[in-house]
Amino acid sequence: MRRETQKLLILSLLGLVSVNLAAQEKAKRDTIKNIDEVVVTALGIKRQDRSLGYVAETIKSEELLRTQNNNWSQALEGKVAGLKIQTAGAGPLGSSTIKLRGDISMNANENNALIVIDGVPMNNNTTGTGFSAYGAGSKADLPIDYGNGINTVNPDDIESITVLKGSTASALYGSRGAGGAIMITTKSGKSKNGKVQVSLNSYSSYDSVLKWPDYQYEYGQGTMQKDTNGNYFYSYQVSPDGLNTGGTSSAFGPKFAGQYFFQYDPTTEGQSATRQLWQPYKDNIKGFWKTGTTFSNNIAIESSNENTSFRSSLTYLKNEWMMPNTGFDRFNAAFSVDHKLNEKLKIGIKLNYNKTKSDNLPATGYSNQSISYFMIFQNPNVDLSWYAPIWKSGKEQVDQVHPFSSFIDNPYLIAYEMLNGVDKNFITGNVNLNYKITKNFEVLVRSGMELTNELRTQKRPYSSANYLQGMYREQHIRLMDLNNDVLFTYKNKFKDFDFSASVGGNIRYTEYMMNDYLADGLLKPGVYTMPNGISNINKFARPNDKQVNSTYALATLGYKNKAFLDLTARNDWSSTLPQENRSYFYPSVSTSFILSDIFKFTSEKFNYWKLRASWSTVGNDTDPYMLIKYYNNSDFAGSVESSPLYPNPNLKPNMITNMEGGMDFSFFKNRINYSITAYQNNSKDQIVRIPTLWETGYSNRVINAGEIRNRGLEMTLNTYPVRNKNFSWSVNANWSMNRNKILSLPEEFHGEPYTMGSVGGVVYYNAVVGGSLGDMYGYGLMYSPDGQVIFNASDGLTAKPTQMKKIGNAYPKWRAGLQNEFRYKNITLSFSIDGQYKGMAYSQSHHKMTEQGKLEHTLVGRDNPGGLIVGDGVIQNPDGSFSPNTKGVLVSAYYADYYRRANVETNTFDTSFIKLRDARISYSFPKSVTEQLKITDLTLALFGRNLWMWTKFPLFDPEAATLNDNQITPGVEMGQLPTARTVGIQLNVKF
């Protein structure tokens, strides 16, 4: 259950809903204890929530396990104000990034929240395949979602999550905490009196496609060609009826009206001997997809006494995704032990192991080997079963069945032969020693590690469009991230003052290696080994290491538990910056006042009032090897090539300044709790890459430049309308907005836009002074002064602009979430709704399917005389005046032009949506049943995710984003895979 500044305590044994707890006089008629929430803050330090001058929201494990996700982070969506989970819609592993309070950097990799597990930061970087999402027309592969670090964390092992939003809250984590932090605390033994407790959590879930595009099945394959009698006709290859019309991907052919044409015959793999019924196959896309399944079983054993606690758990999850022959197996093992050696010394060990294995994960993007590409090009008159043999008769593993175009790969070939495998071993853990030197003075020594060893394979068979002789690739990835901390802490009380001070240091060392082996062409079809390659390309990666040494300190002063002041300071020395700029210092200050206690005006109606404020600066470094010239391994064995990046030996750290203020209120015996927060971030000296003249021998260089301002507002409301012995109802709501403004750009651009990135060569993310991050630029329509679309008088097609313009912004105006929970005796019903207002996304799939006449909106005009349509707009006369457009053009030409790929405007849509994000109903069996079964708890639940959605976005999901190599880019749909609707059943047993 989500908790804001005044957190919530679940009193499940009393059958009560979560209620807000504030440090105030006890409400005598409430059956609620007066306890202050303790939350986990930076460095794993536990603090009373009332003492914090910033927002720290806590989410308990029960919330993550309500509806079970392949990626646990998606359970946070809509439940925390200012938090956005961004996925790419790229397959079952659901890699995601977590953003808090919008973007603060023009470098997309610097905008994600830091993931911290048990006080140790996690490296959540993603290694891509090296290919962009748009690969059509080139010999290129596609991105594959192999999962990122978040995927490896097992939700069954999570105790709680604390969200530290502002950089003040996470300032002690330095560079990596600039975008806020997600603090994960894993479970440890909590049973009483040394008793051993065993917990079982088992669930099964079933996936189906949430939303389909509006495919049309009234017209079939063709380009409006007519026979000698002037009738629209179809012919697979040349026939007595006319020329071949079966080689096109367009669906501007004859209407389905009971005619008979020569069509494809799968038995002869050629033209049918006689004319066949011209009919639509309405399941020829949807029928390829199946019901996906996920089965998971977890067992955990724990015990604790006054000196020792331990916990051990095992989890096995098997997923078969909605696309045939895709899915993964995941095994998690976790172990933790805390032991009190004597009155002064404690030791703790936590170890988590994850193994993710898959024979095949889907490729994503717009190119031949993506199933999305096939769905775009599939025609209404083509039966899906015609592709089922995969290989032509007598040509197994040599020549595939793709009768309509050699550029469109067989969908079953994609699913069963184009395999993308992964075998990933991931280990995280830490050892900590806590020694109490005196009553008030102690020291913590902690060493944490993250180890990844991963093998990826990509197999491409003979006759695939991009690899006529096949291909085999291996990526060997190794990552080691080590964090060592020492922290001295002094605590004491001086009359009315509570004082705490800590000082410590950290050494972080990261080592990354990726070796890439490619067999370009196979000597023997179907044999995927490196020795079977016609030509082999081996890329042995250069080292990619980084070290940051840090010292930090913090002091907390509290007065009568009513007023608090926090001061922090940190200094980093980063190996990625030049020696003269390597050291950078940044402080923070935060304060909170419990005004309801200070002014003593609490009552039964007004319980709590807290004022908080904070200010901080945070430094940020950059990637390794930006300072001096280096060489890369080339595709030719034993040779190297120059890097396209011109280095900068004078880089400075990027500095981010954060200001935040807010208030928290509680009313009517804590039944209504309201929180409001306003913030501003200013990021200066952005470390960005800018283009340079090719004559220099480089394509880009890295500089310090640019300033960005982020402002936002967040509100949270928690209410408890009903609470009695048998029935309770709780409501949690949140709302957030973020406004971003680019204040300055590099002088080198002379006022011109800075292109931060692009997708598909059509959508450009341009930074313009006065604009915002997320602004999308591209070509669009031209308009007359009164706002009408301009067409060409000569051909009736749209007038083409010579300059790009701003189309919209990828980010919404605001986001909101609403959660309800009802409890009646042993039955609990809960559901969560969230949504966003505005935001835009470009759809490549919409462009192509409209161009080809595959969507319902392209039916308009097909019955017009001569198949002509007149564009709604004006033409410009020679004298500069405008008159109505009267020029008719073929329907096929009109849609191909008006929705052409370069016309970003007509293929970009509002991404407003409302989703029923999750729902759950559970029944906890009474003691009369559990005691007979000799168990302590038995709960059975039904749950669902993404059960319903409202949106005007025409494709699969308005939360569109593109996996472009290793980056998730919002605002562009580039061969997105369908989103799943999930229903499932869950069983929890404790004994």
Side-chain angles (χ1 to χ4, degrees), residues 218-219 224 232 253-255 858-869 891 895:
E218 294 186 32
Y219 292 81
M224 305 189 71
Y232 295 116
K255 190 172 186 177
T858 65
L859 297 176
V860 176
R862 297 207 192 193
D863 292 331
N864 291 351
L868 300 179
I869 188 170
V891 169
Y895 286 109

Side-chain angles (χ1 to χ4, degrees), residues 376-411:
I376 290 170
F377 283 84
Q378 172 72 321
N379 263 303
N381 56 289
V382 177
D383 192 341
L384 183 65
S385 66
W386 296 347
Y387 291 98
I390 300 180
W391 302 107
K392 293 180 180 178
S393 179
K395 296 183 179 180
E396 287 74 13
Q397 292 296 330
V398 175
D399 196 3
Q400 63 169 302
V401 173
H402 50 168
F404 301 97
S405 172
S406 61
F407 296 105
I408 305 170
D409 285 318
N410 184 308

Side-chain angles (χ1 to χ4, degrees), residues 132 151 177 353 451-452 678 877:
S132 65
N151 295 91
Y353 170 72
L451 299 175
T452 300
N877 301 313

Side-chain angles (χ1 to χ4, degrees), residues 71-325:
N71 187 330
W72 61 269
S73 66
Q74 293 174 23
L76 304 179
E77 189 68 78
K79 298 179 176 64
V80 178
L83 181 148
K84 174 59 185 174
I85 308 295
Q86 188 66 69
T87 64
L93 284 174
S95 289
S96 62
T97 58
I98 302 178
K99 291 186 179 182
L100 298 169
R101 296 179 172 175
D103 291 352
I104 58 174
S105 174
M106 288 184 281
N107 183 346
N109 292 325
E110 303 295 339
N111 291 315
N112 302 328
L114 174 67
I115 309 298
V116 182
I117 304 176
D118 296 320
V120 179
M122 178 188 203
N123 189 318
N124 196 38
N125 293 340
T126 301
T127 299
T129 59
F131 295 101
S132 65
Y134 186 85
S138 63
K139 185 178 179 181
D141 218 270
L142 282 172
I144 299 155
D145 187 352
Y146 283 112
N148 56 359
I150 299 177
N151 295 91
T152 62
V153 180
N154 181 20
D156 289 293
D157 295 326
I158 296 176
E159 176 69 29
S160 66
I161 294 173
T162 301
V163 181
L164 305 179
K165 297 181 184 177
S167 58
T168 301
S170 54
L172 287 175
Y173 283 116
S175 325
R176 297 201 287 177
I182 308 295
M183 309 290 297
I184 300 173
T185 301
T186 60
K187 293 177 180 177
S188 55
K190 289 187 177 180
S191 65
K192 298 180 180 179
N193 304 320
K195 292 183 179 179
V196 175
Q197 178 177 286
V198 180
S199 302
L200 298 174
N201 178 24
S202 180
Y203 77 86
S204 304
S205 65
Y206 304 88
D207 299 332
S208 59
V209 175
L210 172 62
K211 180 180 180 292
W212 290 102
D214 292 326
Y215 299 116
Q216 70 84 10
Y217 284 95
E218 294 186 32
Y219 292 81
Q221 188 177 15
T223 55
M224 305 189 71
Q225 291 176 300
K226 296 181 179 181
D227 60 21
T228 55
N229 296 320
N231 299 316
Y232 295 116
F233 82 101
Y234 175 84
S235 177
Y236 180 77
Q237 299 177 352
V238 179
S239 72
D241 292 339
L243 298 176
N244 177 23
T245 66
T248 180
S249 297
S250 293
F252 287 104
K255 190 172 186 177
F256 297 113
Q259 318 95 306
Y260 284 78
F261 296 124
F262 289 99
Q263 300 181 57
Y264 175 75
D265 183 351
T267 58
T268 63
E269 299 178 357
Q271 187 185 94
S272 58
T274 59
R275 294 178 180 86
Q276 304 296 315
L277 177 65
W278 183 240
Q279 61 180 323
Y281 296 91
K282 295 185 178 181
D283 203 34
N284 68 346
I285 295 175
K286 298 177 183 179
F288 180 77
W289 296 80
K290 63 173 187 175
T291 299
T293 59
T294 303
F295 302 102
S296 176
N297 293 284
N298 166 264
I299 181 170
I301 302 173
E302 60 184 89
S303 178
S304 65
N305 54 40
E306 60 181 9
N307 292 322
T308 306
S309 66
F310 84 90
R311 182 180 184 272
S312 180
S313 80
L314 298 174
T315 304
Y316 176 70
L317 181 149
K318 183 173 183 61
N319 169 269
E320 292 184 2
W321 200 51
M322 300 179 297
M323 177 178 164
N325 198 42

Side-chain angles (χ1 to χ4, degrees), residues 42 104-105 110 112 114 165-181 568-572 577 584-589 614-621 652-659 680-687:
I104 58 174
S105 174
E110 303 295 339
N112 302 328
L114 174 67
K165 297 181 184 177
S167 58
T168 301
S170 54
L172 287 175
Y173 283 116
S175 325
R176 297 201 287 177
T568 75
R570 176 166 174 142
N571 200 95
D572 287 347
L577 295 173
Y584 48 102
F585 171 80
Y586 39 96
S588 79
V589 57
S614 64
W615 172 92
S616 69
T617 61
V618 176
N620 208 348
D621 58 4
K652 297 183 296 184
N654 168 214
M655 301 302 292
I656 300 165
T657 303
N658 169 258
M659 293 184 291
Q680 176 173 305
N681 294 318
N682 281 68
S683 180
K684 295 182 179 181
D685 289 329
Q686 303 267 314
I687 300 176

